[in-house]
Amino acid sequence: MAGGLVALLDDVAALAKLAAASLDDVGAATGKASAKAVGVVVDDTAVTPRYVEGLSAQRELPIIKKIAIGSLRNKLLIILPVALILSQFAEWALTPILMLGGAYLSFEGAEKIWEALSGHHEESDDGPKDEKKVVAGAIRTDLILSAEIMVISLNEVDHEPFLLRAAILIVVAVVITALVYGVVALIVKMDDIGLALADGATGARERFGRGLVTGMPKVMAVLSTVGIVAMLWVGGHILLGGFDELGWHAPYSAVHHLEHAVHEATGALGSTLGWVVNTFFSAVLGAIVGGILVAVMHVIPKRKVRQSPADTPASPSQ
């Protein structure tokens, strides 16, 4: 009896050690996968604040919460199962699907620029924003950004067993979502933090609080612009890498060689300037592809409508 109990305790101890080792593996692999996805996390953080611009202060956090929940659903209920199944049975399909998302992201960024330049806006600036449309648009954009984060993370752990891969990606999804939308919430409420700091304070604390209050609208305006550009550079980066994966190596090789040359020639600033080069040409590609899609979806159809014979006055009879 005692021997059986000791054996059972030994088995439990062995299982506990195995579980602890597995958790260590998950933690280490999650850290590695998350580190690779940091660039897209920054882009995601830049894109999201523009969706709450113009909303009342009382609605900012509830909207961000809804977007965060939608983002987590995107990752766990859509991207995770699709990515795992495709990586297991049809890995070749991941790149084309991701490229479709990159094309959509490029289209959305180019569309925002076209709306600003043409004066055409879907929503009037005089009326309140439709919160459902704001949340739906943000979640739709997040789907593409989250897909790249998850696929990058998946590529880092593709050698792991299926169940361990799933566990790592679940942890990545939760950690990344909490990080991105925690930072977004902090950014959009920074002016309220400034008000709280300045209220009843004097000296440096008051000046700092008032500086936050007066400065955050400008920061939000800059982030809104950066968010639009981020759509182009992330979309372009996805397309650039996708073309290379599918066998068209020239664009990626040209950008990569130029990035490497700048990195080698600029010393301590090499990493930063190399990233700028890659980002610039990715944004250019995103703008080209997005511009073509905007022309197909908006500009060309409108010109055809304007030139339609039904809209032209009949010529007077001779």
Side-chain angles (χ1 to χ4, degrees), residues 189-219:
K189 300 308 290 183
M190 196 64 75
D191 51 352
D192 292 340
I193 295 173
L195 281 173
L197 288 173
D199 187 24
T202 57
R205 176 177 167 179
E206 181 188 18
R207 290 194 297 273
F208 180 70
R210 292 189 180 280
L212 286 178
V213 173
T214 56
M216 283 314 295
K218 297 176 183 177
V219 172

Side-chain angles (χ1 to χ4, degrees), residues 46-47 50 105-106 108-113 116 222-233:
V47 167
R50 60 179 297 274
L105 209 56
S106 299
E108 190 171 3
E111 185 181 45
K112 299 300 179 188
I113 295 174
V222 170
L223 278 177
S224 181
T225 302
V226 170
I228 292 172
V229 178
M231 293 179 189
L232 295 176
W233 86 55

Side-chain angles (χ1 to χ4, degrees), residues 110-148:
E111 185 181 45
K112 299 300 179 188
I113 295 174
W114 173 71
E115 287 175 356
L117 294 177
S118 66
H120 171 79
H121 295 276
E122 291 183 2
E123 296 173 350
S124 171
D125 293 335
D126 298 329
K129 285 188 174 182
D130 185 330
E131 290 188 3
K132 289 184 178 179
K133 286 185 178 180
V134 169
V135 172
I139 292 174
R140 195 164 52 243
T141 300
D142 172 90
L143 180 64
I144 312 304
L145 294 168
S146 292
E148 188 178 14

